[in-house]
Amino acid sequence: MNDSIFTQNIENWYVNNKRDLPWRHNPKPYLVWLAEIVFQQTQIKQGMGHYKRLVEAFPTVEKLADASEDDVLKLWEGLGYYARARNLHKAAKLIQSNDAFPKTGKEWESLPGIGPYTAAAIASVCANEPIACVDGNVMRVLSRTHAISDDIRAGTTQALMRKIANEKIQFAEHPGNFNQGMMELGAIICTPKKPNCNACPVQHQCALYNNQLDPSLYPFKSKAKPRIKRHLHFAFASNEPFVLLRRNPEKGIWAGLYLLPFNEGKESAFKKTGSLVKKGKHLLSHQEIHYYIWDIKTWKLLPDDHTDYKHAPLDKPLPALPVPLKKFVDAFVNL
Ligand code: SF4
């Protein structure tokens, strides 16, 4: 395959077909970085409202750095993977204290929450650095154009994909356009099911297309490990004008967020004093959370020690809560 033609086709196609996204009008490091973090594990249409609200509340990195962590988490509420928000805030403080944004990919990687992929995306778009971003979309495109049938969960396959992409980006006139073009192609043309090969700019460089192979078989992905099941029992007191919350530790799921007091296990500590008012299942990437909400009527019946708790009045905005708890408390308040 001629890498130079492949790269040129991707760049040209991107320039003429890119989606109209806010940070593309004016690709300043702050806006590109914010977009990369918000959309790391979130689809564009799901995260766009959050992105816009974050830019409106914190139009500059200084405003973000000066905000409280609770305010940043509140604006992040509903996006999940809250470590992203906490790292974003920490990184903003570091950028503020350095009085400058990083320039190279290596410099970006030194900030919290920024790995090689995000660093490559920002440095290629904002500083034209020729380092390839390889995400799921890009791997799908490369597995098809090169007919790579190895398991894309394997580190060796991912290293091969990075090598191929990095070879191609060296021919790019604007490396940021090549990276965004590859991701965009995977997102809107070379989709997992029914790719639109007739509209593909690299159709003639595609091994699958040229050999009439079935795209639905590429890439090959081995089965994921089953999610770990957890049972969490939360306490709520419907007779009180406030909700009792406790900040979760800084590690693990819902790190640093406020939660209703809870115990974990198949048996609930609230069974004797409360009644079950809600139960459900919430899926995280590696965990399957079975949650149960118990109405204990009054917090006096709470069996645990009460240190480290926060009383949050129900008639005022609450701190950021995980999705199932927020839905429950919002429904209660609006009854
Ligand atoms: S020709 Fe089809 S399968 Fe090949 S890269 Fe393009 S969209 Fe994907």
Side-chain angles (χ1 to χ4, degrees):
M1 181 187 300
N2 185 323
D3 279 347
S4 154
I5 292 174
F6 182 100
T7 302
Q8 214 177 3
N9 287 349
I10 294 285
E11 281 193 89
N12 290 343
W13 174 83
Y14 173 72
V15 170
N16 294 315
N17 294 279
K18 62 184 173 187
R19 286 172 290 180
D20 183 16
L21 300 172
W23 58 95
R24 287 180 175 167
H25 300 169
N26 183 8
K28 287 188 174 165
Y30 177 59
L31 298 179
V32 174
W33 165 49
L34 201 56
E36 283 302 328
I37 302 300
V38 168
F39 298 107
Q40 242 168 34
Q41 274 124 332
T42 305
Q43 291 185 348
I44 298 275
K45 66 176 178 207
Q46 284 165 343
M48 189 55 82
H50 284 84
Y51 178 80
K52 287 182 175 167
R53 283 192 289 280
L54 283 160
V55 173
E56 198 179 299
F58 313 124
T60 62
V61 70
E62 290 79 15
K63 294 265 186 217
L64 176 59
D66 290 341
S68 71
E69 186 179 287
D70 283 349
D71 284 348
V72 178
L73 288 171
K74 186 67 189 167
L75 281 163
W76 201 269
E77 194 176 37
L79 266 182
Y81 301 100
Y82 289 85
R84 288 185 292 172
R86 297 168 65 240
N87 282 330
L88 184 78
H89 189 226
K90 281 184 202 150
K93 286 184 179 296
L94 286 169
I95 293 170
Q96 188 185 41
S97 70
N98 292 340
D99 207 16
F101 282 95
K103 287 197 177 61
T104 64
K106 279 280 161 247
E107 286 170 9
W108 277 103
E109 260 189 76
S110 68
L111 293 177
I114 299 193
Y117 166 83
T118 308
I122 306 170
S124 66
V125 171
C126 300
N128 265 331
E129 195 175 336
I131 32 176
C133 312
V134 179
D135 66 356
N137 282 328
V138 175
M139 286 201 276
R140 182 166 56 257
V141 172
L142 291 177
S143 78
R144 290 173 175 174
T145 51
H146 290 67
I148 296 169
S149 55
D150 301 335
D151 182 4
I152 58 161
R153 282 193 203 279
T156 47
T157 314
Q158 292 175 10
L160 173 66
M161 302 276 190
R162 280 195 297 274
K163 181 174 173 289
I164 295 171
N166 273 307
E167 281 165 6
K168 294 189 189 309
I169 203 172
Q170 302 313 314
F171 294 96
E173 196 176 333
H174 297 289
N177 286 348
F178 173 75
N179 273 337
Q180 292 178 99
M182 287 291 282
M183 291 187 274
E184 196 93 332
L185 187 69
I188 63 178
I189 300 283
C190 194
T191 49
K193 290 175 191 161
K194 294 197 184 156
N196 184 4
C197 299
N198 289 334
C200 178
V202 289
Q203 188 190 70
H204 296 300
Q205 285 95 39
C206 177
L208 262 60
Y209 186 83
N210 289 335
N211 295 297
Q212 297 186 340
L213 298 172
D214 180 359
S216 71
L217 302 176
Y218 291 78
F220 169 68
K221 197 174 189 181
S222 58
K223 269 201 172 159
K225 283 186 193 151
R227 290 184 172 94
I228 296 165
K229 281 188 190 166
R230 295 176 68 183
H231 296 265
L232 303 182
H233 298 267
F234 294 96
F236 180 76
S238 63
N239 287 347
E240 303 279 13
F242 62 89
V243 66
L244 203 58
L245 299 172
R246 188 175 194 180
R247 202 189 272 280
N248 222 15
E250 304 258 316
K251 284 206 169 130
I253 64 161
W254 299 326
L257 283 196
Y258 281 101
L259 305 182
L260 294 168
F262 72 93
N263 79 284
E264 180 164 2
K266 290 223 164 134
E267 282 299 312
S268 170
F270 313 118
K271 206 170 179 178
K272 282 192 184 137
T273 49
S275 52
L276 184 64
V277 288
K278 172 104 186 150
K279 67 176 183 176
K281 189 164 79 174
H282 184 68
L283 295 180
L284 299 168
S285 50
H286 302 296
Q287 300 189 23
E288 182 177 302
I289 306 291
H290 295 260
Y291 64 92
Y292 310 84
I293 301 178
W294 298 82
D295 183 359
I296 59 168
K297 301 293 180 201
T298 162
W299 290 118
K300 289 191 192 88
L301 297 174
L302 193 72
D304 295 326
D305 77 85
H306 286 213
T307 53
D308 200 20
Y309 282 69
K310 175 188 181 88
H311 293 75
L314 281 166
D315 58 355
K316 301 237 167 74
L318 294 172
L321 299 174
V323 169
L325 299 184
K326 177 175 165 49
K327 279 190 183 161
F328 172 79
V329 176
D330 282 353
F332 177 80
V333 170
N334 293 321
L335 266 183

